[in-house]
Structures are given as C-alpha cells and as structure tokens.
Amino acid sequence: MAGEIPDLEVLERSGTGKGAARQARRDGMVPGILFGGEGDPLAIQMPFNVLLKRLKAGRFKSTLFNLKMEGKDDVRVICRDVQRDVVKDLPTHFDLMRLRRTSRIALYIHVDFINEDKAPGIKKGGVLTIVRQEVELNVLAGDIPDHITVDLEGKDIGDVIHISDVVLPEGARPTIDRDFVIANISAPRGLKAAADDEPEETDEE
C-alpha cells in the first residue's frame, strides 16, 4: 500500500470570476478551482509562496495529495493544470481534481533494489547502475503502492533489468508501452579499461 500521502492545505475563496481572482492575487494568494468527484466545483486559493515552493520541488502535477480545507472533509486530489504568467513564468491559477478510490492516475513510484549480496555480478566487483530510481505507473487512487521491488539475486555482470522483469502490484501498469530498462550490472571500470587497452589480434600474429 502507499506510504503517507502529503497534505495540501487550501482555503475556500469567496466569489468567482476575474475580479475575485485579481483580488486573491493582490492578497498574495493564487486562485484555483476544485472539481470532479461527487462534489460541485469549488473556488479555492493557496498562498503564492506555498504553491511556488511545491512547484520548485517538482512533480506537483503527478503527486497525489490529501486536500485539507477548513470545514470540509479531507479528499484525495491531483493537480490537473497550473497556469503561469507568460512573461514571469509564475503561477497565476491552478486546477485540482477530486479522485474516487476507483480512479486511475499516473504516479511516479520508487524502486527498491534487494539482495545485492546475492548477485554474482556484484560479488565479482560489478557495478549496479540504476537507470530509473522511480517509474511512472498507472495505478488505482485507492491502492497506490509505496514502491516496487527489483530482486538482484542471481544477476551477473552484463545483465540488464527491464520493467518486464519486475512483478508489479496488482492493478498497476507502466505508462510507457515499451519494455524500458530500470538498471543493469556493468563490469568494474578497471576491467573495462583493461579490455579496451588490449591490442587487437592481426592475421600476421
């Protein structure tokens, strides 16, 4: 199951339309709208500095949040859009969508690697090269995995681990159709350098 879902606090916004939105911005807030699910659309707002910090942290639009608002029940939401000023590239409006537990969403899920001590390639001095520390999966909002696991037992130098080699949680599937690489075990640098320095055999030899 998923780990702790981060909270996202917003305030209900009085009034709608351009005038109310401009007033919210003058007050240091970013206006937004909450829609979807079983509730009616609701005008909301968030402090500008709080939203900007979230955006700078990355993946704001692919993170599931627990929305907290005074006087309302908590609800799971995901950001569907952030509008920005075309000149300053700063947020001017945001859209949040309520999710049912049966809703499917795309989220980045952490990859855990286990049994490195049981991988012959690593015992020989091979290096585990992680290509993707996270993978984007299509999952159910009510059953989000905290991570997926890559078992390195038996893996040798030269082995490549693809997404098809990983047992995914029930109901989860990759958002990318191709069989992409997650990690590989490469030869030690010293061994690579020695192989590169070996002279090529000629017919005369």
Side-chain angles (χ1 to χ4, degrees):
M1 288 297 295
E4 184 178 354
I5 298 172
D7 289 337
L8 185 66
E9 296 187 14
V10 299
L11 301 170
E12 190 168 358
R13 176 165 53 96
S14 58
T16 57
K18 293 183 178 180
R22 282 195 294 266
Q23 183 59 52
R25 296 186 188 102
R26 284 195 291 268
D27 294 337
M29 310 294 284
V30 181
I33 190 77
L34 174 65
F35 68 95
E38 299 174 354
D40 295 327
L42 184 65
I44 57 176
Q45 59 186 359
M46 187 190 312
F48 174 84
N49 290 337
V50 173
L51 178 56
L52 189 61
K53 184 178 179 180
R54 293 276 192 181
L55 292 172
K56 287 183 176 179
R59 296 203 171 135
F60 183 70
K61 293 175 69 174
S62 60
T63 298
L64 182 71
F65 291 104
N66 179 50
L67 189 72
K68 302 185 78 70
M69 184 165 38
E70 187 176 353
K72 306 288 184 182
D73 292 334
D74 290 3
V75 62
R76 289 183 175 185
V77 300
I78 193 166
C79 178
R80 273 296 172 241
D81 189 35
V82 177
Q83 297 171 24
R84 296 174 180 264
D85 184 279
V86 294
V87 177
K88 299 179 180 178
D89 195 35
L90 296 175
T92 58
H93 193 277
F94 65 100
D95 298 340
L96 300 180
M97 186 174 75
R98 303 182 188 95
L99 294 175
R100 300 183 180 92
R101 293 184 64 83
T102 54
S103 300
R104 298 198 70 92
I105 52 173
L107 295 176
Y108 283 92
I109 306 298
H110 181 77
V111 180
D112 276 357
F113 295 87
I114 62 171
N115 289 330
E116 287 190 40
D117 58 331
K118 297 180 180 178
I122 294 177
K123 287 182 178 181
K124 296 173 187 174
V127 179
L128 174 64
T129 301
I130 299 174
V131 179
R132 294 175 185 258
Q133 190 64 69
E134 296 177 310
V135 296
E136 190 178 31
L137 298 179
N138 187 290
V139 298
L140 289 170
D143 194 20
I144 300 170
D146 180 56
H147 65 275
I148 62 173
T149 301
V150 172
D151 191 348
L152 298 173
E153 183 174 355
K155 299 298 181 183
D156 211 336
I157 290 175
D159 284 350
V160 179
I161 302 159
H162 296 81
I163 187 64
S164 61
D165 300 318
V166 182
V167 178
L168 297 178
E170 187 175 354
R173 57 177 181 262
T175 58
I176 301 174
D177 290 335
R178 61 183 172 81
D179 192 16
F180 56 86
V181 175
I182 294 179
N184 62 71
I185 298 180
S186 55
R189 289 183 179 178
L191 187 59
K192 280 184 178 179
D196 292 341
D197 291 340
E198 284 183 4
E200 293 184 6
E201 293 184 0
T202 65
D203 292 338
E204 293 180 0
E205 293 174 338

